[in-house]
Every structure is written in C-alpha cells, then in structure tokens.
Amino acid sequence: MSERAAPFYCPYCGDEDLRPNEEGHGAWECGACNRAFRLKFLGLLARGLQRADNGGDDRI
C-alpha cells in the first residue's frame, strides 16, 4: 500500500494551511480556521457514476 493521501485544502474554509492532528490516522487540523477534522476512505462504489446528458453526474 502507498503512503497516506493528504488533503489539499480545508473542507470548511478552503485554506491550505493543514497539518496532521495528534488524534491519529486521517485526522487533520487547519491553521486558518482552527478546526480539526477526520478523513476516512469508505470504499469503492459497486455502481459507478455516469455522466448524464445535461452534464451532471447521475448514479446508475
């Protein structure tokens, strides 16, 4: 397995000032908005997403 992936920006404020949090794997903190959050990979979807005619994503 490869190294863990790091988020590029905070999901709350959009800033890029992120660092790993002490809470463990997948936990990050944002220096800009002072929030901590956890990211977790849930798995692959059995059915993928397919682009609809209108340009949006629709589940199939």
Side-chain angles (χ1 to χ4, degrees):
M1 182 158 246
S2 63
E3 295 181 31
R4 67 179 166 168
F8 294 108
Y9 56 87
C10 174
Y12 297 98
C13 72
D15 200 88
E16 297 176 355
D17 184 16
L18 301 177
R19 57 190 74 100
N21 186 278
E22 298 174 353
E23 292 293 320
H25 183 69
W28 294 87
E29 56 188 51
C30 176
C33 68
N34 204 31
R35 289 185 168 112
F37 57 94
R38 182 178 308 274
L39 299 176
K40 182 177 179 181
F41 177 71
L42 299 177
L44 297 174
L45 298 174
R47 300 177 295 163
L49 296 177
Q50 186 177 38
R51 186 166 289 279
D53 291 341
N54 63 5
D57 289 334
D58 287 339
R59 293 182 190 267
I60 58 171

